[in-house]
């Protein structure tokens, strides 16, 4: 079985061929330019491979509502050439195979829930802290949509005492992403996040914001597992700091063995590493092929 997977990002497009077991057989990376330049290259790759289905994990926000006229569109993205672009229709016309479509973070959450650290979990979330902040949510092995799809990187947290940075989210200024993404760290401290590795105050503040957000996700979604990744989390000293602060913010309110006694197995990096998103995209293609549409 040959299934195509596409991890569509703002800077690069990762295209892969895989199978129903999540094995990757081939992969190429193509830079993201405007659709008229990039799409023909992607179509050419998948046409030559004679895939049976395609799964797409895409930067968003997206229209995932199959009853909508604009199903398959990238909607209010700041990447202007892609705004309102219908990526699903373009592939459908060119490839004529079933297509699965979801957010990049839902795809990564699905990869981990199917073959990674969140396997067999009823509810799991995948958080990426990078250029933006995204949160994917899987429930019973399927990505969650609801009305639109979760956009939990934009929750409003409240600023920490002593933090005078305005925040850089173009919509909300000081939402979670506005305060804690890689560019927010750079905006606040005047250097690239990776150049600040030895500044303990940077990671103290960063871990506090991430821990606050995770505490809110635990209290609202009750996840069985939390996977945390993205460029900023390459500062792996953040993991123990975040775990300790989550326990502190929860203040003993919730009783759960994994939270109270094994939090290092509860909040952790993805076991699929950087392949979570592309493997999740393959899984989306598998769902489409088997006509198990996402709710
Ligand atoms: P994207 O979110 O664009 O897909 P990444 O997840 O790699 O890409 O995130 C990029 C962001 O992560 C940038 O703001 C960058 O400064 C930050 N970043 C990358 N590597 C590191 C690192 N080692 N330490 C801290 N921050 C990093
Ligand atoms: Zn925001």
């Amino acid at each position: 079985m040959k299934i195509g997977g596409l991890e569509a990002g703002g800077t690069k497009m990762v295209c892969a061929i895989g199978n129903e077991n999540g094995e990757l057989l081939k992969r190429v990376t193509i830079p993201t330019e405007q659709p008229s330049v990039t799409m023909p290259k992607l179509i050419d790759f998948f046409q030559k491979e004679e895939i049976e289905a395609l799964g797409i994990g895409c930067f968003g926000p997206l229209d995932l509502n199959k009853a909508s006229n604009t199903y398959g569109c990238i909607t209010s993205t700041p990447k202007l050439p892609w705004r309102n672009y219908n990526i699903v229709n373009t592939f459908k016309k060119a490839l004529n195979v079933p297509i699965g479509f979801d957010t990049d973070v839902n795809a990564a959450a699905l990869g981990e829930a199917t073959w990674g650290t969140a396997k067999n979990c009823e509810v799991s979330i995948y958080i990426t802290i990078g250029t933006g902040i995204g949160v994917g949510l899987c429930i019973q092995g399927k990505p969650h949509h609801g009305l639109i799809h979760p956009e939990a990187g934009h929750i409003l947290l409240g600023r920490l005492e002593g933090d005078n940075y305005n925040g850089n989210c173009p919509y909300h200024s000081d939402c979670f992403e506005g305060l804690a993404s890689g560019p927010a760290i750079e905006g606040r401290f005047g250097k690239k996040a990776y150049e600040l590795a030895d500044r303990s105050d940077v990671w103290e503040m960063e871990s506090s914001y991430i821990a606050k957000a995770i505490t809110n996700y635990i209290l609202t979604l009750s996840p069985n597992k939390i996977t945390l990744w993205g460029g900023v989390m390459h500062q792996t000293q953040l993991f123990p700091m975040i775990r300790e602060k989550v326990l502190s913010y929860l203040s003993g309110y919730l009783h759960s063995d994994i939270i109270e006694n094994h939090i290092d197995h509860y909040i952790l990096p993805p076991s699929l590493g950087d392949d979570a998103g592309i493997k999740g995209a393959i899984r989306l293609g598998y769902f489409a092929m088997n006509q198990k549409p996402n709710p």
Side-chain angles (χ1 to χ4, degrees):
M1 190 179 286
K2 273 175 105 179
I3 305 171
L6 170 64
E7 194 179 13
T11 52
K12 65 180 196 295
M13 299 281 183
V14 180
C15 305
I17 306 300
N19 64 23
E20 68 277 22
N21 301 319
E23 289 154 347
L24 296 180
L25 312 168
K26 192 174 200 177
R27 172 194 330 232
V28 299
T29 299
I30 291 168
T32 305
E33 297 172 69
Q34 56 194 15
S36 61
V37 175
T38 306
M39 289 300 292
K41 295 180 186 171
L42 303 178
I43 288 166
D44 185 54
F45 171 80
F46 289 117
Q47 264 170 347
K48 285 188 177 135
E49 294 294 335
E50 298 184 351
I51 53 173
E52 292 169 65
L54 175 66
I56 307 171
C58 188
F59 66 89
L62 307 175
D63 186 345
L64 300 178
N65 176 6
K66 288 193 170 152
S68 152
N69 290 335
T70 50
Y71 169 74
C73 279
I74 303 167
T75 59
S76 45
T77 172
K79 299 170 202 10
L80 291 180
W82 292 87
R83 189 174 284 182
N84 299 321
Y85 183 75
N86 199 319
I87 188 166
V88 172
N89 274 356
T90 308
F91 277 120
K92 186 107 209 146
K93 278 186 201 139
L95 302 174
N96 195 28
V97 294
I99 295 182
F101 183 51
D102 220 307
T103 63
D104 45 7
V105 277
N106 260 357
L110 179 61
E112 285 296 317
T114 311
W115 295 296
T117 192
K119 198 172 166 183
N120 300 324
C121 288
E122 187 190 354
V123 179
S124 58
I125 61 175
Y126 180 103
I127 308 169
T128 175
I129 318 277
T131 307
I133 296 183
V135 184
L137 167 62
C138 274
I139 302 178
Q140 292 172 343
K142 293 280 170 64
H144 178 72
H145 297 166
L147 182 68
I148 300 167
H149 51 73
E151 276 289 345
H154 292 266
I155 59 169
L156 307 178
L157 289 177
R159 202 183 288 271
L160 291 169
E161 215 178 339
D163 182 10
N164 299 318
Y165 179 60
N166 267 341
N168 69 351
C169 173
Y171 289 89
H172 323 107
S173 296
D174 59 358
C175 65
F176 180 26
E177 176 174 301
L179 291 170
S181 64
I185 297 173
E186 186 180 344
R188 180 186 291 111
F189 296 102
K191 279 186 180 173
K192 297 267 181 217
Y194 58 80
E195 294 171 328
L196 295 160
D198 55 357
R199 282 273 302 272
S200 61
D201 56 328
V202 173
W203 309 111
E204 182 63 29
M205 181 174 282
E206 182 68 10
S207 60
S208 296
Y209 281 125
I210 298 171
K212 271 195 180 202
I214 288 180
T215 303
N216 289 339
Y217 303 148
I218 294 171
L219 293 166
T220 46
L221 302 170
S222 192
N224 301 84
K225 196 76 91 174
I226 296 170
T227 311
L228 185 54
W229 202 231
V232 172
M233 292 309 301
H234 286 97
Q235 299 294 324
T236 50
Q237 74 274 23
L238 282 167
F239 279 95
M241 297 170 81
I242 290 165
R243 292 176 185 129
E244 195 180 306
K245 285 172 200 265
V246 166
L247 286 174
S248 159
Y249 290 141
L250 286 171
S251 303
Y253 181 61
L254 298 180
H255 295 290
S256 149
D257 182 53
I258 193 166
I259 293 179
E260 290 173 303
N261 302 315
H262 308 282
I263 195 162
D264 49 338
H265 293 286
Y266 184 58
I267 301 172
L268 69 186
S271 65
L272 303 180
D274 293 329
D275 286 346
I278 193 67
K279 289 194 173 185
I282 301 279
R283 181 74 169 167
L284 290 170
Y286 174 80
F287 284 158
M289 192 164 66
N290 289 279
Q291 296 173 324
K292 287 185 194 160
N294 307 319

